[in-house]
Amino acid sequence: MLVAAAVCPHPPLLVRAPELAPLRAACQDVISALRAAEPDVLVVVGGADTTTAYDGTAAGTLKPWGLDLGAGDGDPVLPLSLTIGRLLLGHAPDGLQSVAFDAAPADCLALGRSLAERGRLALLVMADGSACLTTGSPGRHEPAARPHQELIASALAEADPGALAALDPAEADRLWLSGRAALQVLAGAAGTSRLRGRLLEDVAPFGVGYFVAEWR
């Protein structure tokens, strides 16, 4: 059963850049709420090229992004999203779970449901929004990106798993919404649970949408 969830973005600069200090502080706020829920199991979920379960002690590094920072033990194997999640968390979670960026919604929902079967579950969900929000975005500016961003922000604020489950993969791909699959894992884990949402941040400092939210 999902008892708490936190949604955070995963740009490499999040862990260090002064201009992202408010975003970083908001992430620590929602992560503290995860701990306060006293879960049996805490799992970090994030998008990657493939769907893979990792041990909570698995290592990741930000060296490919020019930052000499890392977390975990052994050779770095974690994708960016889980590496940032591991660094924000500050300790080894009970599990690290990547989900393929192109995973079908049904597979994402099923993965979330399987995680929720592990006991009182807390999820740290690493998910970026659209990268097509402005003319300075990494992707080409798309007018449809802003309303899509607002839809997700509303779903997070209202703890609405149905709205996240309904996200269209083709539209998400067109709008460079890399967090779609991870958000749908959250929807699957939440199921019919009655949780309350709180949206702390909905910003786009580099033309990429970043959300910080909690469900309790």
Side-chain angles (χ1 to χ4, degrees), residues 14-15 19 38 58 77 109 124 136 155 158 164 176 187 189 192 202 211:
L14 178 61
V15 297
E19 62 268 34
E38 298 183 348
V77 295
L109 296 172
L124 174 55
E158 297 172 11
L164 298 180
W176 288 36
T192 59
D202 174 15
F211 307 104

Side-chain angles (χ1 to χ4, degrees), residues 19 29 108 159 175:
E19 62 268 34
D29 189 340
C108 298
L175 299 177

Side-chain angles (χ1 to χ4, degrees), residues 80-96:
L80 174 63
S81 61
L82 297 184
T83 298
I84 296 295
R86 181 73 173 76
L87 286 166
L88 288 175
L89 193 59
H91 63 81
D94 297 296
L96 294 151

Side-chain angles (χ1 to χ4, degrees), residues 8-198:
C8 296
H10 53 80
L13 290 176
L14 178 61
V15 297
R16 178 172 285 181
E19 62 268 34
L20 295 185
L23 195 65
R24 193 159 53 246
C27 289
Q28 291 304 324
D29 189 340
V30 296
I31 288 172
S32 294
L34 288 186
R35 298 190 182 101
E38 298 183 348
D40 298 329
V41 181
L42 194 159
V43 177
V44 183
V45 174
D49 291 333
T50 61
T51 298
T52 307
Y54 299 91
D55 185 85
T57 61
T61 181
L62 296 183
K63 285 185 178 179
W65 293 272
L67 296 172
D68 190 13
L69 289 171
D73 300 326
D75 294 332
V77 295
L78 298 178
L80 174 63
S81 61
L82 297 184
T83 298
I84 296 295
R86 181 73 173 76
L87 286 166
L88 288 175
L89 193 59
H91 63 81
D94 297 296
L96 294 151
Q97 177 68 58
S98 70
V99 58
F101 293 122
D102 61 354
D107 294 336
C108 298
L109 296 172
L111 176 57
R113 288 192 294 268
S114 71
L115 292 174
E117 293 173 354
R118 298 178 60 179
R120 287 173 46 84
L121 172 70
L123 281 183
L124 174 55
V125 182
M126 310 305 297
D128 287 353
S130 173
C132 297
L133 291 167
T134 70
T135 55
S137 294
R140 186 178 65 182
H141 180 224
E142 288 281 359
R146 178 56 60 184
H148 205 262
Q149 188 82 357
E150 292 171 354
L151 183 154
I152 296 171
S154 176
L156 293 175
E158 297 172 11
D160 183 356
L164 298 180
L167 293 173
D168 178 66
E171 182 72 351
D173 186 58
R174 185 175 76 85
L175 299 177
W176 288 36
L177 175 61
S178 65
R180 186 271 309 170
L183 291 172
Q184 290 185 321
V185 173
L186 168 60
T192 59
S193 300
R194 293 184 177 273
L195 301 172
R196 299 182 65 179
R198 181 168 71 112

